[in-house]
Amino acid sequence: MALTKEQVLHVAKLARLALSDDEIEKFQRQLSVILDHAEKVMALADDGVPATAHALPLSNVFREDVAEPCLPQDKALSTAPESEQGRFKVPRIMEDPT
Amino acid sequence: MSELWQLSATEIAMRIANGEISAVEVAEAHNARIEALEPEINAFITPTPDIARAQAKAIDERRATGAPLPPLAGVPLALKDVICVDGVRTTAGSRILDAYVPPYSGTVVHMLADAGTLLVGKANMDEFAMGSSTENSAYGVTKNPWDLARVPGGSSGGSAAAVAAGMAPIGIGTDTGGSIRQPASLCGVVGMKPTYGRVSRYGLIAFASSLDQIGPFARNVRDTALLLNAIAGHDPKDSTSIPDPVPQYLDGLDAGIDGLRIGIVKESLSEGTQPGVAGRFKDAIETLTSLGGEVEEVSLPSFAHALSAYYLIAPAECSSNLARYDGVRYGMRADAPTVSEMNARTRAQGFGDEVKRRVMLGTYALSAGYYDAYYGKAQKVRTLVIRDFDEAYQKFDILVSPTSPTTAFKIGEKADDPLAMYLNDLFTIPSNLAGAPAISIPCGLAEDGLPVGLQIMGPLLSESLLLRAAFAYESARGPAERPPL
Amino acid sequence: MNYEAVIGLECHVELNTESKMFCGCPTTFGGEPNTRTCPVCLGEPGSLPVPNRRAVESTMMIGLALGCRVAPHSLFHRKNYFYPDMPKNYQISQYDLPLCIGGRLDVEVAGTKTTVGITRVHLEEDTGKSLHIGTTGRISEAKYSLVDYNRAGIPLVEVVSEPDIRSAAEAQRYVAELRSILEALGVSDVRMEEGSMRCDANISMREPGGEFGTKVEIKNLNSIRSVGRALTFEIERQRKALEAGQALLQETRHFDESSGVTKTLRSKEEAFDYRYFPEPDLLPISATADWVSALESSLPELPQARRARLAAEHGLSVEQAHAVGASVASTGYFEGTVAAGANGRDAAVWMAGELGRALNNAGVGIQDARVSPAQLADLIRLVGAETVNLNTAKRVFQMAFESGDDPGVIIGREGMAQVSDEGALATAIAAVVASNATEVERFRAGEEKVFGFLVGQVMRETKGKANPALVNDLLRKVLTTGGA
Ligand SMILES: [Zn+2]
């Protein structure tokens, strides 16, 4: 199916990508081609076929509830672009969480 | 006498154990080889000569005490830069992780150190393992040692090229849709994707979690088996890790394939396959037959559809896996007044074209109203692929196909056509969807003088069988051709 | 128009496991920021989650306690949205295959019982916390924010009710009852003040039996009181709007504790697209019949059963059984007091009265009471034996609560024993009659109510220690016979 520019913009917003106009135009074209191709194939899988999320027949893998050592604070923060007061520093959060 | 960099892992470990050579000599020979060839090949994002030297020194000191040495003691190793090493820059081939130094090491990193390997460098790759050419690396394309104008394949192109060029006898790659086997084929080395869950993914920077698998590169099958033994095994840190015990892959390696039922995947013999590739594949079939293999064609109808399913499943998973690169906790950060703008700019500047394309594709495929049509359907096609394999393995022990429809292509040749690029993975993707193991071994040179790979596929946990078949084939055909370097 | 409220609650409960949901980091409160973290809960590239068995089992037990069915097959899903509190920018949660489905919770308000359906009980991971730095600390005025991931990855259970609740009072009762069940199970600290339990409410208005109205969600109610206040306000707000003929917006609102009103957080147009899909790093959970029945048989006595038992065994009223059986600790205290010889009803009265007040004033829980069950039983015995009168006993209790001393010791030390010596009382009565001639006259003239005043005077004369029954008898005798 052909994607509209609005759909591409919406997806870019969901994916948190500040795309240029050129990129928007390019992805609109390329994603349409790829999805078109995919749709033809997907027609094969009817409702009677179960979905496979994992190829392995494993289930019930757990860890026991035992506390283990943590990273020291300086190591946890060592990769941070910015930190302050032992915390990761970020620009203003304009929106509330869900 | 061979140069040290020409030796196999098995020979190096043996000579060091015997005291014929020191691990430090081996490390220096490979460090020197890397230094000499890197300007041309660009196999590494971050060479780590000091680490290799220090690890070699420890091996030599251990030998001096008379303590037994681990199986790969003193063997140089190229590690794909998608696996985290504590204190060592790890980029996943992306600008967004340019300065990232992980605070921990992946499970295989510990296992490889325990096995005695020497880390000579973090190998180049397509950004976040998305690609079939290493052209998507933010650190420049890796050149194919057979022809510097051509790609080495990908995404583990750096590891494959390093092993082919003698920069290390063994390497580690990751395979999500063919990213070990395809570059192994294009560079003329052995590469194996083990069963999903056989090797821990803990510390592997995720592309598509339900498909990603770490595996070995080497210049021969025996080294491949040795390296697989070093990294395979259950890991409580990876929920998807297989608890079954790991066999000794060297045991029975030379048992031959007499009577083995071998299915040729009919769908891999399409007109899209390069004539020279088809020719070498035919030769390989003859060799397998001469070894006592019972060869027959088999049709796996879903084989052709696997590609489309893969290009929905992998992008969907990657769109979520890559959400964490947001400029908050690690990696690059672009300036912006608010956190959401900062996220969006960081990601736009930090990710390359292919990554953005797949993140967009995957986000779309998962978004409200489209899940069932795309991701849901693709998961069903995955079931069909598994059923086809299951049915084939009722009649056959192993399946064979060319690894890649073509030999190494020119740099830039497919860069602007994502669909053409995706077709590289046509024969390798089904094994990833099924979670099953597959190996690519060199089967000669095509009409263009470039290496061709033979892919051998098997059911879940059939690594021993695949290695045995590959070893029989390799022994019959003789050592693989080496690039003119 | 006669509108009725239609309310559903989603309650989030932090489990009290030793370690986090998907990594080994400890769950202990406090500590410096980002010192309870590891590659997994920081979302470092390449890290992988492994689920905590106890968290899964605790969730199943919550489901079983709420009469849910434990699903034979359940999955973790990823809920995708960007927020800096969330290290991976997705939350591992559950979607269409939760651990437990279809239960019920009975609530009783003013003698009317309602059954609230439980839609599902599922397990997910908590997020980190941000500190908003700016003039007021409010998110909207902050200059920048600081993120701490110590709480990221704490196991969080979500209990979702059907929209079966019809009033703020029922909602409060529902939350209190749920809290009490979680406490009985021992799976959570259920300290709402510390955020270990919080609720979201969905509310709409309709004409009884009519179509559902526009749904409004109120986020993050963090006490039972807030649930009541927020819903009371919101029901009134919606009713007024509807009566004024205004349309309601489908939106998410926030309850402002200080002003007691709900305010718009965001409208439905900004709704999120979470792109749920099965978490590929985790495997399915298959709850075998054996596993579920083992958990079921390990369930402790639940509050409803506990209250029924207490009422039956000790002849308590519904209210008393509720009060005494409010928590495991409170039940333990009650049963300890009875075991030490007290009558159940007396113990219940003391616990609801003096003990409750003292705990409230001291701001401590019953487990920290300075009067032990044995000491309370002793005090009750002393009242019964008329060693002290009830008023003095209350003072003794207060002193015991402050000092931890035995009631008997306090009574002896402070000379608080009840005076039942008729000679001593006669002296006191004589003194009162003498100094209150006017009142005595009024009583004798038939003004009965003055009697109480005179009794009070005698009690005062004896510093409250007089046996009140005896004072009554003797005083009346003196006044009516004109003696003394
Ligand atoms: Zn952790």
Side-chain angles (χ1 to χ4, degrees), chain C residues 20 23 25 37-38 41:
Chain C
K20 290 187 179 180
C23 64
C25 290
T37 65
C38 71
C41 57

Side-chain angles (χ1 to χ4, degrees), chain C residues 1-42:
Chain C
M1 192 74 71
N2 190 10
Y3 290 102
E4 83 173 350
V6 178
I7 301 165
L9 291 173
E10 291 176 12
C11 295
H12 291 89
V13 185
E14 280 187 352
L15 297 180
N16 59 0
T17 48
E18 292 292 316
S19 62
K20 290 187 179 180
M21 185 59 229
F22 296 112
C23 64
C25 290
T27 54
T28 43
F29 270 99
E32 291 297 304
N34 295 301
T35 54
R36 307 273 192 276
T37 65
C38 71
V40 177
C41 57
L42 282 175

Side-chain angles (χ1 to χ4, degrees), chain C residues 22-347:
Chain C
F22 296 112
C23 64
C25 290
T27 54
T28 43
F29 270 99
E32 291 297 304
N34 295 301
T35 54
R36 307 273 192 276
T37 65
C38 71
V40 177
C41 57
L42 282 175
E44 290 286 334
S47 63
L48 294 171
V50 183
N52 182 330
R53 180 193 302 275
R54 198 173 133 222
V56 170
E57 293 190 337
S58 295
T59 309
M60 291 177 175
M61 287 184 56
I62 293 170
L64 290 169
L66 293 170
C68 293
R69 190 167 74 94
V70 173
H73 175 81
S74 59
L75 277 187
F76 285 107
H77 271 68
R78 287 190 188 173
K79 181 181 183 181
N80 295 281
Y81 63 97
F82 281 82
Y83 205 74
D85 281 357
M86 210 167 45
K88 304 180 293 291
N89 285 322
Y90 60 78
Q91 180 190 32
I92 304 179
S93 180
Q94 296 197 280
Y95 183 52
D96 54 352
L97 293 168
L99 277 165
C100 310
I101 39 180
R104 54 180 283 170
L105 182 61
D106 294 329
V107 295
E108 192 175 331
V109 173
T112 309
K113 265 193 191 151
T114 311
T115 293
V116 178
I118 302 295
T119 317
R120 56 190 275 152
V121 179
H122 82 233
L123 182 55
E124 60 191 26
E125 55 179 343
D126 209 346
T127 62
K129 300 265 172 289
S130 10
L131 206 61
H132 306 297
I133 309 296
T135 44
T136 61
R138 289 168 67 113
I139 187 165
S140 52
E141 292 158 26
K143 292 197 177 75
Y144 59 93
S145 297
L146 297 175
V147 192
D148 169 17
Y149 295 107
N150 280 353
R151 304 305 293 165
I154 302 280
L156 197 62
V157 166
E158 184 174 329
V159 178
V160 182
S161 89
E162 293 287 317
D164 293 340
I165 299 165
R166 293 289 169 269
S167 69
E170 268 182 17
Q172 276 183 291
R173 194 63 237 149
Y174 169 91
V175 177
E177 188 66 14
L178 178 60
R179 189 172 182 270
S180 158
I181 289 171
L182 295 165
E183 197 247 356
L185 293 172
V187 296
S188 170
D189 301 337
V190 290
R191 282 189 296 237
M192 293 190 83
E193 328 68 63
E194 289 182 18
S196 60
M197 183 171 172
R198 48 194 192 260
C199 300
D200 301 338
N202 281 306
I203 165 168
S204 65
M205 303 294 282
R206 69 170 177 190
E207 294 166 40
E211 297 278 305
F212 286 119
T214 306
K215 200 166 79 176
V216 167
E217 187 176 23
I218 310 171
K219 283 282 185 190
N220 267 327
L221 300 168
N222 54 19
S223 71
I224 294 174
R225 204 169 100 89
S226 299
V227 168
R229 288 174 70 209
L231 285 171
T232 303
F233 175 87
E234 183 62 18
I235 289 169
E236 225 13 67
R237 185 188 75 85
Q238 294 194 15
R239 187 194 311 280
K240 277 185 192 148
L242 291 171
E243 281 170 356
Q246 293 162 358
L248 288 162
L249 287 177
Q250 188 172 345
E251 60 182 355
T252 300
R253 296 176 75 86
H254 151 83
F255 178 62
D256 187 277
E257 291 283 348
S258 52
S259 60
V261 305
T262 65
K263 294 172 178 169
T264 298
L265 201 57
R266 62 170 172 268
S267 68
K268 188 68 188 170
E269 288 74 57
E270 302 163 53
F272 284 76
D273 180 349
Y274 294 123
R275 287 159 285 136
Y276 280 101
F277 75 106
E279 162 59 289
D281 287 328
L282 295 172
L283 297 163
I285 295 171
S286 304
T288 59
D290 283 355
W291 190 11
V292 174
S293 62
L295 290 173
E296 201 158 20
S297 60
S298 74
L299 286 179
E301 184 182 45
L302 296 172
Q304 204 176 2
R306 186 167 70 206
R307 289 192 300 260
R309 180 177 60 78
L310 290 174
E313 284 179 3
H314 303 286
L316 306 184
S317 69
V318 172
E319 288 75 20
Q320 283 176 325
H322 254 285
V324 166
S327 71
V328 176
S330 152
T331 307
Y333 192 99
F334 172 77
E335 292 184 323
T337 308
V338 171
N343 168 289
R345 266 176 295 193
D346 288 341

Side-chain angles (χ1 to χ4, degrees), chain B residues 84 100 103-104 201-205 209 236-239 320-321 323-326 328-330 347 366-368 371 375, chain C residues 39 42-51 78 80 82 87-90 149 273 275-278 280-283:
Chain B
C84 291
Y100 178 60
Y104 79 110
R201 292 185 295 117
Y202 190 76
L204 158 60
I205 298 180
S209 312
K237 288 192 168 117
D238 176 357
S239 303
S320 172
N321 283 333
R324 68 188 64 192
Y325 307 106
D326 61 356
V328 173
R329 291 156 302 277
Y330 38 72
R347 292 162 62 77
L366 289 177
S367 67
Y371 180 91
Y375 192 76
Chain C
L42 282 175
E44 290 286 334
S47 63
L48 294 171
V50 183
R78 287 190 188 173
N80 295 281
F82 281 82
K88 304 180 293 291
N89 285 322
Y90 60 78
Y149 295 107
D273 180 349
R275 287 159 285 136
Y276 280 101
F277 75 106
D281 287 328
L282 295 172
L283 297 163

Side-chain angles (χ1 to χ4, degrees), chain C residues 456-473:
Chain C
Q457 292 305 305
V458 177
M459 293 307 288
R460 215 172 122 184
E461 187 72 24
T462 59
K463 299 196 169 62
K465 293 183 288 184
N467 178 333
L470 208 49
V471 169
N472 261 308
D473 285 356

